[in-house]
Amino acid sequence: MSYQGIIHRYHEFMDLPPAVQPITLYEGNTPLIPVPAIADNLGGGFELYVKYEGLNPTGSFKDRGMTTAMTMAKHNGKKTVICASTGNTAASAAAYASRAGLRAIVMIPEGKVAAGKLAGAVAYGAEIIQIPGSFDDALSFVVEISQKSEIELVNSLNPYRMEGQKTASFEICDELGSAPDWLCLPVGNAGNITAYWMGFKQYNRIKNTGLPHILGVQAEGAAPLVIGHTVEHPETVATAIRIGNPARGEQALMAAEESKGRIIAVSDEKILAAQKLLASSGIWVEPASAAGLAGLTDRIKNNSFDPKGKRIVLVCTGHGMKDPDIIISRGIKPVRLPVDFDKVAEYILGGGNR
Ligand code: F0G
């Protein structure tokens, strides 16, 4: 039968009721793309892949956790769902709520959500509340509201989010035949790193696929798990991971420790350089999604990691189209030519602007 989303494919490995009716947009099944040119750029001699999660239906990995969370909200007769978000969760919750026929309320930090994400939440019909505070403020509000009402929280504190998100690790193992040596990914609220580690451990128990080391990467201005305490005013160009008090921080630290990996921080400059490097291989991701590569690059360049002979997977969590402004702000504009063939030919055949 044709592909019908992650619940259909991996239900047997999920803690969901057997007869549940999936709310799905056929998410998951994202490609694992080899990027040999980037491996060469980093010295070569190893296998490097991108798990391109930006190709999910709403453009980010959040759809994996949202299909399961929304399926269970519907199953349990909930009428309204709520989340705090730096943008991607909001767009995904909005899409899956409309699919389920539920009311969606999303709370976002004013002025800090990339255009493609806000537009998504609007397009899918969510009720959007913005506050002049941080993601962390918004999360504390929606958690409290959900505790005091019948409204279902669909942030990654919701355990069903983890049941869905862990399927990305199943897909990687199914594709490679075993777990990679290293998995590198961005860390914000720390749901994704927690879910990957859960998934790898589960698959290893059942299928003996082995375990990766996990490299979690935060932005320097929003690196509570690296500096060891909450960041009051997190700041980074990677707005998706602009988070100072991650809800699953303890579990993220545990995933790094148990996997004999680590959590590190990288500068915004390095994140943007990694974004460019990925684009040079045809993979345009939003800034946060380049953090995994930025972290790996940093570790290789400062000689704290030798990738030789290894198989490494970079998780690219969100599509570049989510955040067009960061690219437009580079100021590169199309060349303007008159409607005149000779002028156009002169420009092109003369070598353009190269
Ligand atoms: N990458 C992207 C593109 C994200 O949107 C997020 C989180 C992360 C990485 C980090 O994942 O939080 O599980 O550690 N975005 C959330 C949101 C916070 O509201 O969309 P995490």
Side-chain angles (χ1 to χ4, degrees):
M1 202 188 290
S2 63
Y3 185 76
Q4 292 176 35
I6 59 163
I7 296 178
H8 184 257
R9 179 159 177 199
Y10 290 115
H11 199 155
E12 62 181 303
F13 305 114
M14 291 177 177
D15 190 10
L16 295 182
V20 85
Q21 201 52 44
I23 304 296
T24 179
L25 288 162
Y26 291 21
E27 59 296 309
N29 200 24
T30 56
L32 189 66
I33 308 173
V35 283
I38 299 178
D40 286 347
N41 184 288
L42 297 177
F46 65 104
E47 285 176 44
L48 188 63
Y49 299 87
V50 166
K51 180 66 173 164
Y52 197 9
E53 289 288 279
L55 296 185
N56 275 294
T58 77
S60 86
F61 74 99
K62 304 287 181 181
D63 297 343
R64 288 182 189 275
M66 215 48 84
T67 181
T68 39
M70 210 60 72
T71 292
M72 288 309 295
K74 183 83 175 171
H75 183 80
N76 292 327
K78 301 284 179 161
K79 301 284 180 248
T80 305
V81 298
I82 197 165
C83 65
S85 182
T86 56
N88 282 323
T89 300
S92 184
Y96 282 80
S98 64
R99 190 89 171 153
L102 304 181
R103 176 183 176 207
I105 304 167
V106 305
M107 192 175 285
I108 57 172
E110 187 176 352
K112 298 294 179 183
V113 172
K117 304 176 188 181
L118 190 53
V122 173
Y124 299 123
E127 292 164 51
I128 306 167
I129 302 170
Q130 56 180 359
I131 55 168
S134 66
F135 167 85
D136 306 281
D137 298 322
L139 184 62
S140 73
F141 294 159
V142 299
V143 166
E144 193 171 341
I145 298 259
S146 71
Q147 285 164 349
K148 291 181 171 162
S149 70
E150 281 300 301
I151 298 177
E152 180 81 344
L153 181 75
V154 293
N155 279 104
S156 58
L157 283 164
N158 178 325
Y160 297 117
R161 282 279 308 274
M162 299 293 97
E163 290 302 309
Q165 276 176 221
K166 71 184 181 185
T167 59
S169 60
F170 300 165
E171 288 178 12
I172 292 171
C173 292
D174 286 343
E175 187 87 13
L176 295 177
S178 65
D181 296 301
W182 279 85
L183 182 91
C184 313
L185 81 173
V187 176
N189 208 29
N192 210 29
I193 187 172
T194 301
Y196 267 97
W197 185 234
M198 224 173 114
F200 280 121
K201 284 196 296 188
Q202 185 181 355
Y203 236 41
N204 186 42
R205 277 195 306 274
I206 300 166
K207 301 193 172 208
N208 228 349
T209 38
L211 294 170
H213 304 287
I214 297 199
L215 180 69
V217 186
Q218 301 204 287
E220 255 169 25
L225 301 179
V226 179
I227 60 179
H229 60 79
T230 298
V231 177
E232 195 77 24
H233 300 291
E235 228 16 283
T236 169
V237 68
T239 52
I241 52 172
R242 188 176 166 274
I243 294 174
N245 185 19
R248 290 189 184 267
E250 290 300 319
Q251 285 163 281
L253 292 169
M254 203 124 81
E257 191 183 317
E258 282 180 14
S259 75
K260 299 191 178 62
R262 55 179 55 217
I263 297 182
I264 62 171
V266 292
S267 66
D268 280 1
E269 209 181 351
K270 287 175 179 170
I271 288 175
L272 294 177
Q275 184 192 31
K276 265 191 182 168
L277 188 54
L278 283 160
S280 76
S281 272
I283 299 172
W284 179 27
V285 304
E286 64 167 288
S289 301
L293 176 59
L296 176 68
T297 305
D298 224 28
R299 302 255 299 141
I300 292 173
K301 287 199 172 153
N302 67 21
N303 288 322
S304 46
F305 175 65
D306 180 7
K308 291 278 178 315
K310 302 273 194 303
R311 203 158 53 165
I312 302 174
V313 170
L314 307 168
V315 180
C316 287
T317 45
H319 201 286
M321 286 188 278
K322 289 278 191 173
D323 192 354
D325 297 342
I326 193 72
I327 304 297
I328 305 291
S329 71
R330 285 186 203 158
I332 298 171
K333 294 214 170 69
V335 174
R336 191 158 193 279
L337 296 176
V339 191
D340 176 333
F341 177 78
D342 291 339
K343 291 272 163 40
V344 171
E346 188 186 312
Y347 177 82
I348 293 172
L349 301 176
N353 63 1
R354 282 176 184 259

